[in-house]
Amino acid sequence: MTGASRGIGRAIAERLAQRGAKVACVATRAENCADTVAACNAATDGAAAYGVDVSDHAAVNELVKNVQAELGGLDILVNNAGITRDQLMLRMSEDDFDRVIDVNLKGCWNFMRAAARPLMKSSGRILNIASVVGITGNAGQANYAASKAGVIGMTRSLAKELAGRGVCVNAIAPGFIETDMTAEIDAQAADALKGSIPLGRIGTAAEIADAADYLLGPGGAYVTGQTLVVDGGLSL
Ligand code: NAP
């Protein structure tokens, strides 16, 4: 479970632990996951914290090997780690473009590549956290939208590649969810955004965990290659 230290990732990690999973909680530094690990262990023993930059291919391979050895296998991979570096395209630096693609898109590929074999053995599940912006686009987020559209395309491709081994690969595309990531948006812009959501409110991390629960639980056994939009109607 990447990006498990806070926000949406923490909510999904805790939900997985409530369902009986031993959760490997991954963030940039293991200590950032201390609270999540404690909350997961309160539900099911065996959660552990790991630190890695998801964009580092070799380090991700090593980490997935360690997780398998320490937690005794791999049944579910959730790629949730993500960043924004928003700017209108003409002002966006090459570094801001590359970094968002490296973390959000390549990070997701790194983990799927490293975890594919063990997940084929367990007929496991993969869930990628994309964004509704990967479907609709958004001014000032060309890098982020491209990374999330890439995640959606990669989800569909991997679903086709791994279906024969019983692995379901899906994505969730959240809309505007209350986390540290959206706390950066200024109050005026946040109000305008809220006004454009048909359900009239910002979503919660728990509501994304509800969707993850469905896709990763028994109800999701015949669902693969899909992107479940959870956005209060924002993209309608
Ligand atoms: P958040 O609160 O900013 O948390 C981001 C998480 O990603 C943290 O756990 C962070 O770890 C981790 N992370 C960032 N860069 C990393 C890297 N290079 N290597 C390893 N871990 C890294 O974000 P959030 O709002 O919960 O978003 C989670 C996911 O949902 C993201 O993919 C985001 O794009 C997507 N999403 C969010 C929204 C929204 O409205 N919030 C909407 C659509 C999609 P550290 O604590 O160590 O930094």
Side-chain angles (χ1 to χ4, degrees), residues 193-219:
L193 200 52
K194 222 185 296 179
S196 63
I197 300 171
L199 284 180
R201 65 173 178 85
I202 293 173
T204 65
E207 287 169 324
I208 304 303
D210 290 339
D213 204 19
Y214 160 64
L215 288 169
L216 297 173

